[in-house]
Amino acid sequence: MKKIIVTILILAFLLSSCKDSKQTTEEKTDSKEQSVSISIPPEKVTQYAYPDWVLTYEKKEDIGKNRNQVKEAGNKYYYLRIGDKVTVIEESIYNKKPCYLFQLPDDSQYWVEKENLVEGFVVITKVDGVDTYAQPDTDYATAFNMQVGDFGIYKEDKNGFVKVDFKAYRLASQEAEKRTWVGEKWIQEGYITTIKVAKEAYYLYLAYFYMIQKNNPEKAIQQLEAGLELHPDEMTEITHVLKQYKAELEALITNE
């Protein structure tokens, strides 16, 4: 009787070990599969490139490589400029990073990391500035007052408010001596979403960046010139802001 009991215990132990081993193998397989691409077809939507000179890839396996690595592999790539419009036709997870397959007007298709495509842009146009809020409610007013030409990325809208990720530096309070990064805020009025204007505003933002963060007026002027060259024979709602800022920086350099 004792021998039978011992035999049963041994068999139970062996079966348990096999089950644990199988479970461990399955866990390892699941872990490995996390890096495998899983395609999720979304509704076809229009998106816009951000920032400027976004490298995109004909082959999904090239995502994350630089231009030279793609060329060495004999594969194609494509650069999107700020505000370029594309049609997203597939969403995927590759190497744990969200990415999109998009289509250009000529029907060619490329892959890009999801973070480099956005729904749209917002540019402030109200002359006397625009109030901002921490929540879509006027009781959540902040001290940040956005100015003409300020550039941001559209996030969502709710209850008559629009959430914008502002790429701008403004005073956080009346007592503040230095401008700080604005980031995500809600606004109600005084803006447009025109892509043509957004492209100009993007270069204005870069000019502010090089002056406020780098104290480099020469580089800032280069950004302003790039923005003004977009539509040399046309005035948009913010062209005068770029021209005025350029004149101020050129005077600053001259007086040094």
Side-chain angles (χ1 to χ4, degrees), residues 7-121:
T7 302
I8 291 173
L9 291 173
I10 292 172
L11 288 173
F13 174 78
L14 290 174
L15 287 172
S16 176
S17 297
C18 290
K19 183 178 180 181
D20 291 342
S21 176
K22 182 180 179 182
Q23 183 176 2
T24 301
T25 302
E26 289 175 348
E27 289 174 354
K28 288 181 178 179
T29 301
D30 290 342
S31 176
K32 184 178 180 181
E33 288 176 350
Q34 287 178 3
S35 64
V36 177
S37 176
I38 303 173
S39 295
I40 311 168
E43 178 184 356
K44 290 186 178 182
V45 295
T46 297
Q47 299 265 290
Y48 300 91
Y50 174 83
D52 204 7
W53 296 108
V54 175
L55 181 60
T56 68
Y57 311 88
E58 183 184 41
K59 303 292 185 181
K60 186 191 293 187
E61 57 267 27
D62 286 335
I63 293 175
K65 295 179 180 178
N66 61 42
R67 181 183 63 178
N68 290 334
Q69 291 172 322
V70 177
K71 289 175 67 176
E72 288 174 2
N75 297 330
K76 293 182 179 179
Y77 60 88
Y78 185 87
Y79 275 109
L80 290 175
R81 300 298 307 271
I82 177 70
D84 278 352
K85 180 174 68 175
V86 303
T87 301
V88 174
I89 58 177
E90 185 177 320
E91 182 174 0
S92 183
I93 304 295
Y94 184 71
N95 282 341
K96 300 182 180 180
K97 288 187 176 182
C99 55
Y100 280 146
L101 176 65
F102 67 86
Q103 184 169 297
L104 292 167
D106 66 0
D107 295 332
S108 59
Q109 297 178 2
Y110 293 86
W111 288 94
V112 65
E113 290 186 13
K114 184 177 179 178
E115 64 182 15
N116 293 129
L117 294 182
V118 299
E119 289 186 49
F121 305 101

Side-chain angles (χ1 to χ4, degrees), residues 123-124 147-151 167-170 179 197-212 219-228 230 237-246 248-249:
V123 182
I124 300 299
Q147 302 297 306
V148 176
D150 281 343
F151 168 86
K167 308 299 180 180
Y169 300 87
R170 292 294 167 198
R179 298 183 183 187
V197 182
K199 291 180 179 181
E200 277 190 358
Y202 170 76
Y203 286 105
L204 177 61
Y205 145 61
L206 291 180
Y208 286 140
F209 168 78
Y210 280 109
M211 275 305 297
I212 296 170
K219 191 70 174 180
I221 289 173
Q222 290 177 13
Q223 303 306 315
L224 294 169
E225 289 175 342
L228 292 169
L230 292 171
E237 289 84 346
I238 68 165
T239 302
H240 68 284
V241 181
L242 279 75
K243 289 184 175 181
Q244 181 179 343
Y245 194 35
K246 180 174 178 288
E248 291 175 3
L249 295 180

